[in-house]
């Protein structure tokens, strides 16, 4: 097993964190976590089942009573301390993240800062859960609106952002006065457990934040969604799994936030600044080796600038360095597992069979089956599977278009609606296109839209709810109105 050297070795924990304690390990029931670059086992982690999940829910229920009655200022100062501790331990947390997830260390450090920024933001918002007064409908009626925590929350989080997708849910939940049970991905549980170590050190009371580590996702998901104690489910992951969780949550009519799959269009109009568009394309496509829900999935380029854009895009990705995320200068790490490579490879083969032209890449490196070359496919068309599939890998198909009307129709021709991007300089067109795109987020002349201060989320089958920003607390609060007769 890999020996991981950290400045703060206690960040490495191998068992679930429930009711303020890391459970003692059951030597028989554990699952292994591997480094995607070397396949080396880096940890054996305690495997929770339904019993431990019930314990975590019960602990969160008890803790709720004292956590929700703290003032916003009290909760804020504890969250602030957690934020500071995360930044103090940024290097170690990034190392753990890269070892279990594979992304380049510099990107992992960026994720730790991004993740911490949600805690800082919601520590501030904790103080500002304002209500409302409404002029009464009768002379002797006074109407007030107050907001209260929804109660116990369950969060199911993905492997592509093992830190930030947890803090983006936990921070607003805790700020609002809720308690939470998190089930991290079985591929990346160590980052979640390290967050729990620092949460405890920051003074987050026992039972307020629980981490259930497991590879029995179906059974544990069933307990979380069917529990009548759990009042809300927040999930980030694929649309098919989101639909199952939604169905399972229906019987107890839970509040739900679903951050599901995307199929982002990236449109380059004829009046775009092509160099800037290429820069945005590289940033949005190859971040995390293409494994984010907001990565551009389909590049639509006006036919008059298609050749120029393609040539410059190819030249730019030749500069990317594929390899071990722990090595200096590497910009693209491995894909998460074999299944992901097979999926991407199948899409690339299908595209070439249907007339696509590989302009660069198109296969894994001979040295490592999980390292996929940054790839550009020219001459793409809507019959290809990748037109309607979330690629989740470093592959950029380029479609050429002629008119604004045509490209809007193509861009919206998908069941999902998370992120979208376009480049152009005509102001009227910018408004028209921004309003016509059926997406929750639109990047205009930028390929990077993720930030704590803006509402992240999608429409259509990309889900519901918003994370980050002033809107991010709403998902963890119930609105209650008081009608007072005087
Ligand atoms: C995601 O892939 O789910 C999130 C990406 C981001 O926050 O930018």
């Amino acid at each position: 097993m890999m020996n991981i050297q950290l400045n703060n070795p206690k960040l490495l924990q191998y068992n679930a964190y429930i009711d303020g304690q890391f459970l003692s390990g059951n030597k028989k029931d554990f699952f292994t976590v591997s480094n995607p670059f070397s396949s080396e086992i880096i940890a054996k982690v305690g495997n929770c089942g339904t019993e431990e999940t019930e314990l975590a829910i019960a602990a969160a229920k008890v803790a709720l009573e004292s956590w929700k009655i703290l003032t916003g200022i009290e909760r804020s100062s504890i969250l602030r301390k957690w934020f500071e501790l995360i930044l103090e331990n940024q290097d170690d947390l990034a190392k753990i993240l890269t070892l279990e997830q594979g992304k380049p260390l510099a990107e992992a450090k960026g994720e730790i800062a991004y993740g911490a920024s949600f805690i800082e933001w919601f520590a501030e918002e904790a103080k500002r859960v304002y209500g409302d007064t409404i002029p009464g409908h009768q002379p002797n009626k006074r109407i007030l609106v107050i907001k209260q925590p929804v109660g116990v929350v369950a969060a199911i989080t993905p492997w592509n952002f093992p830190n930030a997708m947890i803090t983006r849910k936990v921070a607003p939940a805790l700020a609002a006065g809720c308690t939470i049970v998190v089930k991290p991905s079985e591929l990346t549980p160590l980052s979640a457990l390290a967050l729990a170590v620092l949460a405890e050190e920051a003074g987050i009371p026992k039972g307020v934040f629980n981490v259930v580590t497991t590879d029995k996702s179906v059974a544990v998901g069933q307990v979380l969604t069917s529990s009548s104690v759990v009042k809300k489910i927040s999930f980030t992951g694929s649309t098919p799994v989101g639909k199952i969780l939604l169905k399972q949550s229906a019987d107890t009519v839970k509040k739900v936030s679903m951050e599901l799959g995307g199929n982002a269009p990236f449109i380059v109009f004829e009046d775009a600044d092509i160099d800037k568009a290429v820069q945005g394309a590289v940033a949005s496509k190859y971040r995390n080796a293409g494994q984010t829900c907001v990565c551009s999935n389909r590049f639509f380029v006006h036919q008059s600038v298609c050749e120029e854009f393609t040539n410059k895009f190819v030249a730019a990705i030749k500069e990317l360095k594929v390899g071990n995320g722990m090595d200096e200068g590497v910009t693209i790490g491995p894909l998460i597992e074999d299944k992901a490579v097979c999926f991407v490879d199948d899409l690339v083969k299908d595209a070439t069979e249907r007339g696509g032209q590989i302009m660069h890449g198109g296969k894994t490196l001979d040295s490592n089956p999980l390292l996929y070359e940054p790839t550009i496919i020219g001459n793409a068309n809507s019959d290809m599977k990748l037109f309607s599939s979330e690629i989740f890998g470093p592959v950029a198909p380029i479609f050429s278009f002629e008119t604004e009307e045509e490209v809007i129709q193509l861009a919206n021709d998908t069941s999902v609606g998370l992120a979208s991007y376009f480049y152009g300089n005509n102001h009227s067109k910018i408004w028209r296109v921004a309003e016509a795109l059926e997406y929750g987020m639109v990047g205009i002349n930028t390929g990077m839209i993720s930030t704590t201060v803006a509402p992240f989320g999608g429409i259509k089958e990309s889900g519901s709810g918003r994370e980050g920003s002033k809107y991010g607390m709403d998902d963890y609060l119930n609105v209650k109105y008081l009608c007072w007769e005087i």
Side-chain angles (χ1 to χ4, degrees):
M1 201 151 78
M2 189 188 272
N3 181 17
I4 304 173
Q5 304 286 337
L6 299 179
N7 298 321
N8 183 358
K10 72 170 192 272
L11 290 175
L12 273 179
Q13 295 292 334
Y14 302 109
N15 284 295
Y17 180 71
I18 295 175
D19 204 15
Q21 294 209 315
F22 290 95
L23 298 187
S24 59
N26 168 354
K27 293 207 168 45
K28 290 211 195 85
D29 202 357
F30 60 82
F31 60 97
T32 55
V33 179
S34 309
N35 171 239
F37 176 77
S38 64
S39 306
E40 214 177 330
I41 292 178
I42 56 175
K44 291 180 175 175
V45 175
N47 204 1
C48 295
T50 54
E51 204 177 307
E52 291 86 352
T53 311
E54 296 284 10
L55 280 177
I57 295 171
K61 182 173 185 242
V62 172
L64 179 67
E65 295 312 309
S66 40
W67 182 249
K68 72 179 182 192
I69 57 170
L70 293 183
T71 63
I73 294 174
E74 286 167 324
R75 285 197 295 269
S76 172
S77 69
I78 297 173
L79 287 171
R80 176 88 208 172
K81 179 79 190 145
W82 192 24
F83 158 73
E84 284 161 3
L85 286 170
I86 289 172
L87 288 190
E88 275 168 34
N89 288 275
Q90 185 177 11
D91 288 348
D92 279 347
L93 293 170
K95 192 167 178 182
I96 295 172
L97 200 161
T98 292
L99 287 173
E100 65 178 350
Q101 200 275 342
K103 70 177 63 172
L105 198 54
E107 224 177 298
K109 280 190 194 163
E111 180 180 337
I112 302 302
Y114 180 46
S117 74
F118 289 103
I119 302 176
E120 183 189 37
W121 177 271
F122 286 107
E124 294 303 317
E125 291 297 287
K127 302 178 216 167
R128 301 190 180 104
V129 182
Y130 298 132
D132 213 350
T133 57
I134 296 176
H137 55 303
Q138 289 162 355
N140 61 344
K141 289 274 169 59
R142 301 292 179 267
I143 295 178
L144 298 135
V145 176
I146 60 169
K147 292 185 184 169
Q148 296 179 302
V150 297
V152 174
V153 175
I156 301 178
T157 59
W159 52 264
N160 62 342
F161 288 87
N163 174 294
M165 294 306 103
I166 293 179
T167 58
R168 190 151 88 177
K169 299 177 191 308
V170 175
L174 268 49
C178 303
T179 55
I180 195 160
V181 177
V182 177
K183 189 211 88 61
S185 164
E186 65 274 25
L187 300 173
T188 57
L190 301 181
S191 294
L193 294 170
L195 278 171
V197 171
L198 298 175
E200 185 172 283
E201 197 175 327
I204 293 180
K206 66 177 191 160
V208 169
F209 171 42
N210 306 276
V211 180
V212 172
T213 50
T214 185
D215 72 353
K216 301 167 198 165
S217 301
V218 173
V220 168
Q222 187 75 52
V223 175
L224 295 173
T225 49
S226 61
S227 165
S228 57
V229 173
V230 174
K231 300 294 185 238
K232 178 192 166 71
I233 294 280
S234 178
F235 171 67
T236 295
S238 73
T239 296
V241 174
K243 286 181 183 177
I244 294 171
L245 295 173
L246 275 171
K247 283 182 193 145
Q248 289 177 184
S249 300
D251 280 346
T252 47
V253 193
K254 287 195 202 324
K255 211 171 160 82
V256 288
S257 297
M258 294 279 148
E259 296 293 353
L260 309 179
N263 182 3
F266 184 107
I267 305 169
V268 183
F269 286 105
E270 60 277 31
D271 58 341
D273 176 334
I274 300 299
D275 293 326
K276 202 170 163 188
V278 167
Q279 230 180 18
V282 174
S284 110
K285 178 71 251 184
Y286 299 103
R287 174 178 174 226
N288 200 10
Q291 303 171 111
T292 89
C293 307
V294 292
C295 278
S296 297
N297 211 56
R298 298 167 297 155
F299 291 79
F300 298 108
V301 186
H302 191 268
Q303 46 106 8
S304 64
V305 291
C306 198
E307 194 177 331
E308 181 189 355
F309 175 84
T310 306
N311 291 340
K312 288 183 169 172
F313 195 15
V314 169
I317 68 163
K318 284 186 178 161
E319 302 298 314
L320 298 175
K321 191 170 163 204
V322 187
N324 182 354
M326 294 302 288
D327 291 347
E328 187 68 34
V330 165
T331 45
I332 299 201
L335 294 188
I336 189 73
E337 54 184 350
D338 294 341
K339 264 195 295 191
V341 174
C342 292
F343 183 73
V344 170
D345 226 22
D346 176 59
L347 292 178
V348 171
K349 286 203 180 90
D350 172 78
T352 49
E353 278 162 23
R354 292 174 197 266
Q357 196 186 343
I358 304 278
M359 311 300 289
H360 187 72
K363 56 179 175 39
T364 53
L365 293 190
D366 294 339
S367 58
N368 188 318
L370 291 192
L371 289 178
Y372 208 93
E373 291 177 326
T375 297
I376 293 178
I377 301 175
N379 207 23
N381 62 64
S382 57
D383 292 335
M384 296 172 177
K385 282 196 220 167
L386 44 67
F387 183 83
S388 47
S389 312
E390 187 174 24
I391 301 170
F392 239 64
V395 176
I398 300 181
F399 307 75
S400 152
F401 73 90
E402 283 178 25
T403 66
E404 183 182 322
E405 199 185 21
E406 175 196 2
V407 77
I408 294 295
Q409 190 276 325
L410 285 166
N412 287 341
D413 184 12
T414 172
S415 58
V416 289
L418 190 60
S420 57
Y421 308 86
F422 70 92
Y423 280 71
N425 277 308
N426 176 302
H427 288 181
S428 307
K429 185 159 67 187
I430 285 176
W431 270 113
R432 268 199 316 272
V433 173
E435 288 177 358
L437 286 169
E438 293 165 357
Y439 290 84
M441 298 176 282
V442 185
I444 305 167
N445 292 329
T446 177
M448 293 297 283
I449 53 171
S450 300
T451 163
T452 316
V453 308
F456 187 103
I459 60 171
K460 303 202 281 186
E461 293 188 18
S462 286
S464 59
R466 289 295 177 269
E467 295 193 318
S469 82
K470 67 172 182 174
Y471 302 98
M473 287 281 273
D474 294 346
D475 284 20
Y476 298 91
L477 291 166
N478 285 330
V479 170
K480 183 186 277 180
Y481 113 79
L482 317 177
C483 184
W484 191 347
E485 186 166 308
I486 56 170

